[in-house]
Structure formats: structure tokens, C-alpha cells
Amino acid sequence: MLNNFYTKVFIVLLLVMTGCQSKKESTTSNWEIKPTAQQLSITQIGIDTVFVNLPKFSYRGFWKMDGSQLLYFDKMYGAVSIFDKTGKFVSTPLPKGKGPREIDSWCKNGSNNVLFEGYRIYQYDSKWQKIKVSSLNTDTTISKKELIDKPKASYLEVYEVKYFQNNHTVLDSTNVLFNIESPHPKFNGYFSAFAKAYYQQANIFARVNINTGKWEKNLLHYSDYYVAHPNVPNFSNWSYDVDASKLYLNFDADSLIYVYDKQLKPLYAFGRKGVNMNQKYIETTTYKEAIKVFSQERAAKGFYSTIKRIAKLDLTFRCYTTGNSEADIFDDDDANNRRMQIYKGTVLVGDVQVPSSFNIIGYDENFIYADGYLDESNEKLAFYKFKIPTL
């Protein structure tokens, strides 16, 4: 992983235009692409907004579902609050000041709760009593000079935790999977001189021992879309979800959904393009160019967002944006028009309009639940729910 030293090097060397010394790795070439039929029986859904009463929160957070309860994670306060499915407040087992300084993401490890903050892993029991805290680390034997001068895609230390739209998932009782990226000045997706090589070679996931914090292995690659279109780094993000036997991987700009087994071996890909998506992305050749148009591009253009798999129903939900032609430089992706695809197996059975930032988080026997409602101006917090579609 890159520490602060290498992050500073990146800033200093933004204009470095030399290539990365590394052999070519496999991306998503040679996949079995399953034909994705379209049988649209769901064209709209009735969404209920469930408001909750939480006196103090930072307006920067996210919802998750844990069994019969909904958990609200306040990213900035590092706090966790629990509600029932009607929106009734239950408790705040981890108040401000008792947990991490900030919360990036959360997952379960058996009955235990695991929080992630940058390079730190916080483990709690089922009652939110702290068990241990560990930090990500590597057993590096590579000199700083070599990392700076001759980075390789295989070096763990070339990468860092991806902060934008990260997700952590426990693979088993020992290993956790999360998103990574490289900000190295000679190995990244921003400069046109080596962006194509980066998207061919770079890994996108890290596997870490949750108990020791040891960064053990980097896994998987960008899809071939980015090898063919290497100058759209503002849309080079990805999301994923796992069920009992598979991992479903989804990229911002790629209409395909890539399916792996639990050993992360490729199985097949499927998917159809969203409705009226404006994917005429502005191509950039430097970091400075990309950052200058980042927010407006994320509001004005269409891209695929979060993905959620509900194996029991054989349903896969993928949210996406179509693009907002009226977006200006002060907007971001919250100002974008949002829709959601619904797949039954590999058949597209639904494509519906949904609210901004809408993301599926779980379900019960009656409803499917979603994150996305935060009204800072009126100091309101809520989650969404809707009836399970009848197919």
C-alpha cells in the first residue's frame, strides 16, 4: 500500500510521463457473454419513504440492513444507530467519540461487526463491544527507490485503499475483500502515456487478513472497456456484491456485469445498456484535466452505480444514472437522473425510475429496502422500501 510518502511523491510528480515496467496481465478478455433477454414486466415501483428521528447526525452517512434491523452509519461522527423496519429508533450502540474517527464501510463477520476507516480495521462483537483494532500492513522487501522508479502491477505497495465508493466484504472468517487503486505517478489511470497499460495490468481488489491486518494479495482487473477507452478516469469506479456462491462485479462505464465464483474464478458476464444513457464522456489526458471536470461529468453523464444481489429471489438490482443535461460545474452525481435495472437470472425484467442516491440494502418477506434519502436543508433522514416485484 502507498503510505503518505508516496502520496506526496504523486503530487510532486504529476507531470511525470514515463511508463510502468510490468508484464501484461489478463483483464476480462475471453469471457463467456451470456445473451441477456429483455422481458420488461416491471416499469415502475411504488416507493415508500420511512423517516426516522435521530437528533444529531452529520448528514454524511449510509444505511445497511442487518437481519430485522436497519443500521445508520454516520461517516463523519463515527457513530452507529439502530432502527427497526418501521423506522422506530432502537439504540445508538456506538455513539460519537466511542468508535472510529470516521466510518468508510461496514460488514459482518459471523455475529461480529467490522468497521473500516482508511487503513484501520475495528472489530466489535454483536453488542458493539470492541474486540480489537488492527492496521493494514505488508511484509515488504522492496526499497522506496524501486517503488518510485520502477513500479510493478504485482507490487502490493503500489496500491492504496480506494476511498471513493469503497466496499468491504468478508470472504470467510479470516479474509476481507476491498477496493484498491494506484495513485503512483508512473502507474495510474490519469495520464494518457500509460493509462492503457494501467487498465491492462492493475488490480482492483485486495485480500487482507482481518485478524492481523496483513495485506496478502491483490486480485482481479479492470474490464476490457477501459483498455479500449483509457482516457475516462472519472468513470473508472466499480461496485460489487456477493451471495453464497458468487461475486457480481459492475463498472461505471461498462454495461456488462461480471460474475465470479467464490474463489474469484470467472464464470460469465451478462447485462444490457440502460435507458437513454449519455455516455459521451469527456476524455482527459492528465490528473489536472480529470479533476477539473469530475463533479460536472458525474452529474451530466450516464454511468452504472451500485449492484445488489438477492440470491433467494434470483434477482440482481443495478442502479444507474442517465445524465442530466442541465448540470453545471456546481453539481455532482446527486443531481443526476437515476434509474434501476432488475434482472431475474440473466433476463432484464425491470427498468424503473428511482430517487437520487437510491441503493438497495436488503429485504424481508414483504419489502425490499434502500438507502439514499438525506435532506440536509430540512434536517431529515430516511430510508426507502418497496414491495417485492411480482414476476
Side-chain angles (χ1 to χ4, degrees):
M1 75 202 84
L2 288 180
N3 55 25
N4 291 334
F5 175 82
Y6 293 106
T7 303
K8 292 176 182 177
V9 170
F10 177 54
I11 296 172
V12 173
L13 299 179
L14 280 177
L15 298 179
V16 173
M17 300 297 287
T18 55
C20 167
Q21 302 296 318
S22 179
K23 66 181 181 180
K24 181 178 179 180
E25 300 284 351
S26 172
T27 53
T28 55
S29 299
N30 303 318
W31 275 70
E32 176 193 355
I33 310 299
K34 288 196 172 185
T36 304
Q38 178 172 293
Q39 300 173 8
L40 292 179
S41 59
I42 306 169
T43 56
Q44 61 181 3
I45 54 175
I47 300 173
D48 296 327
T49 305
V50 182
F51 291 95
V52 304
N53 182 21
L54 187 62
K56 294 182 180 180
F57 58 100
S58 71
Y59 305 99
R60 296 293 182 272
F62 58 92
W63 288 94
K64 293 290 184 180
M65 194 168 183
D66 184 18
S68 61
Q69 297 179 321
L70 285 99
L71 281 60
Y72 180 72
F73 296 87
D74 194 308
K75 293 174 66 72
M76 303 305 294
Y77 286 175
V80 180
S81 297
I82 300 174
F83 298 82
D84 68 17
K85 291 183 291 186
T86 69
K88 181 180 178 181
F89 175 77
V90 176
S91 67
T92 299
L94 199 66
K96 180 180 179 181
K98 297 298 183 180
R101 288 173 297 178
E102 296 183 11
I103 299 174
D104 295 331
S105 72
W106 161 89
C107 67
K108 296 284 285 190
N109 184 13
S111 62
N112 292 338
N113 295 281
V114 188
L115 297 178
F116 300 88
E117 178 201 14
Y119 288 82
R120 297 175 71 81
I121 304 171
Y122 296 78
Q123 296 192 60
Y124 300 85
D125 65 18
S126 60
K127 297 182 179 180
W128 289 94
Q129 298 300 305
K130 186 183 293 184
I131 299 173
K132 68 180 300 184
V133 180
S134 55
S135 297
L136 301 184
N137 60 86
T138 61
D139 294 332
T140 182
T141 58
I142 303 168
S143 69
K144 288 184 178 180
K145 178 175 175 54
E146 184 174 358
L147 283 174
I148 294 172
D149 295 340
K150 297 180 180 180
K152 295 182 179 179
S154 59
Y155 289 168
L156 304 184
E157 297 83 1
V158 167
Y159 302 87
E160 69 177 13
V161 175
K162 183 174 173 59
Y163 291 97
F164 184 66
Q165 296 182 341
N166 208 337
N167 184 29
H168 294 70
T169 298
V170 170
L171 296 175
D172 52 49
S173 61
T174 302
N175 295 298
V176 63
L177 188 74
F178 60 90
N179 301 352
I180 58 173
E181 63 184 350
S182 172
H184 195 288
K186 297 181 183 180
F187 187 59
N188 66 78
Y190 285 99
F191 293 107
S192 59
F194 43 82
K196 184 172 183 177
Y198 175 77
Y199 290 120
Q200 286 177 321
Q201 300 163 4
N203 294 117
I204 60 173
F205 290 116
R207 189 185 72 202
V208 171
N209 185 303
I210 198 171
N211 297 312
T212 65
K214 185 178 178 181
W215 190 317
E216 296 182 337
K217 189 174 183 179
N218 292 341
L219 302 157
L220 304 191
H221 300 275
Y222 289 90
S223 79
D224 280 347
Y225 175 93
Y226 296 97
V227 179
H229 306 85
N231 298 120
V232 291
N234 288 332
F235 297 95
S236 62
N237 306 290
W238 61 95
S239 63
Y240 71 98
D241 194 25
V242 298
D243 60 23
S245 61
K246 298 181 181 70
L247 179 145
Y248 293 74
L249 176 61
N250 168 69
F251 293 92
D252 275 7
D254 192 339
S255 63
L256 291 175
I257 297 169
Y258 298 90
V259 184
Y260 297 79
D261 65 20
K262 288 302 285 287
Q263 287 70 48
L264 302 184
K265 302 297 182 183
L267 294 176
Y268 56 89
F270 70 98
R272 295 181 70 97
K273 184 174 180 177
V275 175
N276 297 326
M277 292 180 70
N278 176 6
Q279 290 190 277
K280 296 179 181 179
Y281 304 133
I282 294 176
E283 295 191 353
T284 59
T285 59
T286 67
Y287 177 80
K288 185 177 181 180
E289 287 180 10
I291 294 303
K292 183 178 180 179
V293 299
F294 174 80
S295 293
Q296 186 172 2
E297 276 284 273
R298 299 287 294 185
K301 303 299 169 62
F303 60 92
Y304 301 96
S305 184
T306 56
I307 188 167
K308 180 66 177 179
R309 172 68 178 169
I310 299 180
K312 186 175 180 180
L313 304 177
D314 194 22
L315 294 178
T316 303
F317 298 86
R318 178 168 65 167
C319 293
Y320 69 97
T321 63
T322 60
N324 180 355
S325 61
E326 299 180 355
D328 60 33
I329 59 174
F330 301 106
D331 287 324
D332 57 22
D333 54 3
D334 286 339
N336 212 326
N337 302 307
R338 197 169 184 86
R339 297 184 65 85
M340 182 174 68
Q341 294 179 328
I342 305 171
Y343 292 90
K344 178 74 170 180
T346 60
V347 178
L348 181 64
V349 296
D351 196 313
V352 299
Q353 185 174 354
V354 293
S356 172
S357 302
F358 188 91
N359 299 304
I360 303 298
I361 58 173
Y363 78 106
D364 60 20
E365 64 276 9
N366 296 313
F367 294 98
I368 293 174
Y369 297 82
D371 188 6
Y373 189 100
L374 184 62
D375 184 351
E376 185 172 356
S377 60
N378 293 306
E379 300 183 349
K380 290 184 177 181
L381 177 66
F383 57 86
Y384 298 111
K385 66 179 183 179
F386 61 95
K387 285 282 189 179
I388 297 174
T390 301
L391 300 174

